[in-house]
Short mmCIF file of all heavy atoms in Angstrom, two decimals:
data_model
loop_
_atom_site.label_atom_id
_atom_site.label_comp_id
_atom_site.label_asym_id
_atom_site.label_seq_id
_atom_site.Cartn_x
_atom_site.Cartn_y
_atom_site.Cartn_z
N ARG A 29 196.26 167.89 8.76
CA ARG A 29 197.81 167.58 8.73
C ARG A 29 198.44 168.56 7.83
O ARG A 29 198.11 168.83 6.70
CB ARG A 29 198.02 166.25 8.25
CG ARG A 29 199.43 165.76 8.40
CD ARG A 29 199.63 164.32 7.97
NE ARG A 29 198.69 163.59 8.95
CZ ARG A 29 198.77 162.21 9.05
NH1 ARG A 29 199.66 161.61 8.48
NH2 ARG A 29 197.99 161.56 9.88
N ASP A 33 200.34 175.60 11.58
CA ASP A 33 200.55 176.95 11.73
C ASP A 33 199.24 177.86 11.48
O ASP A 33 199.17 179.03 11.71
CB ASP A 33 201.66 177.47 10.77
CG ASP A 33 201.25 177.17 9.32
OD1 ASP A 33 200.58 176.27 8.93
OD2 ASP A 33 201.67 178.02 8.45
N GLU A 43 185.10 179.86 16.53
CA GLU A 43 184.47 180.52 17.65
C GLU A 43 183.38 181.50 17.19
O GLU A 43 182.38 181.58 17.79
CB GLU A 43 185.55 181.30 18.48
CG GLU A 43 186.46 180.31 19.30
CD GLU A 43 187.60 181.00 19.95
OE1 GLU A 43 187.53 182.23 20.08
OE2 GLU A 43 188.53 180.23 20.37
N GLU A 50 174.86 179.98 18.66
CA GLU A 50 174.31 180.15 19.99
C GLU A 50 173.24 181.20 19.91
O GLU A 50 172.14 181.10 20.51
CB GLU A 50 175.30 180.34 21.02
CG GLU A 50 176.16 179.09 21.26
CD GLU A 50 177.31 179.35 22.19
OE1 GLU A 50 177.64 180.54 22.50
OE2 GLU A 50 177.94 178.37 22.67
N ASP A 68 148.68 186.49 23.63
CA ASP A 68 148.27 186.98 24.98
C ASP A 68 147.63 188.37 24.75
O ASP A 68 146.62 188.62 25.39
CB ASP A 68 149.51 187.18 25.90
CG ASP A 68 150.05 185.89 26.36
OD1 ASP A 68 149.41 184.85 26.24
OD2 ASP A 68 151.24 185.88 26.88
N GLN A 80 139.86 198.41 25.17
CA GLN A 80 139.99 198.28 23.78
C GLN A 80 141.28 198.96 23.32
O GLN A 80 142.08 198.38 22.47
CB GLN A 80 138.78 198.72 22.95
CG GLN A 80 137.55 197.96 23.11
CD GLN A 80 136.32 198.63 22.56
OE1 GLN A 80 136.29 199.66 21.84
NE2 GLN A 80 135.13 198.05 22.80
N THR A 104 171.36 187.71 11.67
CA THR A 104 172.30 186.94 12.42
C THR A 104 172.73 185.77 11.42
O THR A 104 174.00 185.49 11.31
CB THR A 104 171.75 186.26 13.63
OG1 THR A 104 171.35 187.36 14.52
CG2 THR A 104 172.68 185.41 14.37
N ALA A 105 171.80 185.14 10.75
CA ALA A 105 172.23 183.98 9.83
C ALA A 105 173.08 184.58 8.64
O ALA A 105 174.01 183.96 8.23
CB ALA A 105 170.93 183.47 9.24
N PHE A 109 177.38 183.80 6.54
CA PHE A 109 178.00 183.56 5.30
C PHE A 109 179.44 184.05 5.11
O PHE A 109 180.15 183.44 4.31
CB PHE A 109 177.15 184.50 4.28
CG PHE A 109 175.85 184.00 3.79
CD1 PHE A 109 174.92 184.70 3.24
CD2 PHE A 109 175.64 182.59 3.85
CE1 PHE A 109 173.67 184.23 2.79
CE2 PHE A 109 174.39 182.04 3.45
CZ PHE A 109 173.43 182.89 2.94
N ASN A 120 189.67 173.36 4.69
CA ASN A 120 189.93 172.01 4.19
C ASN A 120 189.08 171.66 2.99
O ASN A 120 187.80 171.58 3.20
CB ASN A 120 189.71 171.00 5.32
CG ASN A 120 190.11 169.61 5.00
OD1 ASN A 120 190.23 169.22 3.82
ND2 ASN A 120 190.49 168.86 6.03
N GLY A 128 179.07 174.15 1.93
CA GLY A 128 178.00 174.44 1.04
C GLY A 128 176.66 174.16 1.64
O GLY A 128 175.75 174.87 1.49
N ASN A 144 158.21 185.10 7.86
CA ASN A 144 157.55 185.51 9.17
C ASN A 144 157.60 187.00 9.25
O ASN A 144 156.56 187.51 9.89
CB ASN A 144 158.33 184.82 10.24
CG ASN A 144 157.94 183.40 10.35
OD1 ASN A 144 156.90 183.06 11.19
ND2 ASN A 144 158.49 182.39 9.60
N VAL A 150 151.62 192.18 7.96
CA VAL A 150 150.32 192.45 7.18
C VAL A 150 149.46 193.52 7.70
O VAL A 150 149.05 194.43 7.03
CB VAL A 150 149.56 191.17 6.91
CG1 VAL A 150 148.23 191.43 6.31
CG2 VAL A 150 150.36 190.24 6.00
N ASP A 154 151.90 200.06 7.29
CA ASP A 154 151.99 201.45 7.27
C ASP A 154 152.83 202.05 8.37
O ASP A 154 153.14 203.26 8.45
CB ASP A 154 150.71 202.15 7.12
CG ASP A 154 149.97 201.86 5.81
OD1 ASP A 154 150.63 201.54 4.85
OD2 ASP A 154 148.80 201.78 5.82
N GLU A 167 166.26 194.03 1.00
CA GLU A 167 167.67 194.18 0.51
C GLU A 167 168.50 193.08 1.08
O GLU A 167 169.39 192.57 0.28
CB GLU A 167 168.20 195.63 1.09
CG GLU A 167 167.64 196.75 0.49
CD GLU A 167 167.98 198.14 1.24
OE1 GLU A 167 168.69 198.05 2.16
OE2 GLU A 167 167.46 199.13 0.76
N LYS A 171 170.65 190.42 -1.22
CA LYS A 171 172.05 190.26 -1.03
C LYS A 171 172.48 188.79 -0.62
O LYS A 171 173.43 188.25 -1.06
CB LYS A 171 172.54 191.28 0.15
CG LYS A 171 174.08 191.37 0.24
CD LYS A 171 174.47 192.48 1.18
CE LYS A 171 175.92 192.52 1.31
NZ LYS A 171 176.33 193.57 2.28
N LYS A 176 174.91 183.64 -1.48
CA LYS A 176 174.81 182.20 -1.48
C LYS A 176 175.17 181.61 -2.80
O LYS A 176 175.93 180.69 -2.97
CB LYS A 176 173.29 181.90 -1.27
CG LYS A 176 173.02 180.33 -1.40
CD LYS A 176 171.45 180.01 -1.70
CE LYS A 176 171.27 180.34 -3.07
NZ LYS A 176 170.10 179.73 -3.66
N ILE A 187 184.80 171.20 -5.78
CA ILE A 187 184.57 169.79 -5.88
C ILE A 187 184.85 169.18 -7.22
O ILE A 187 185.37 168.07 -7.36
CB ILE A 187 183.01 169.56 -5.50
CG1 ILE A 187 182.77 169.83 -4.05
CG2 ILE A 187 182.47 168.15 -5.83
CD1 ILE A 187 181.31 169.93 -3.63
#
Side-chain angles (χ1 to χ4, degrees):
R29 186 175 302 197
D33 59 329
E43 288 174 17
E50 289 172 352
D68 291 344
Q80 290 171 10
T104 303
F109 281 161
N120 186 334
N144 280 270
V150 168
D154 296 329
E167 292 168 0
K171 190 172 180 183
K176 176 203 75 163
I187 290 171

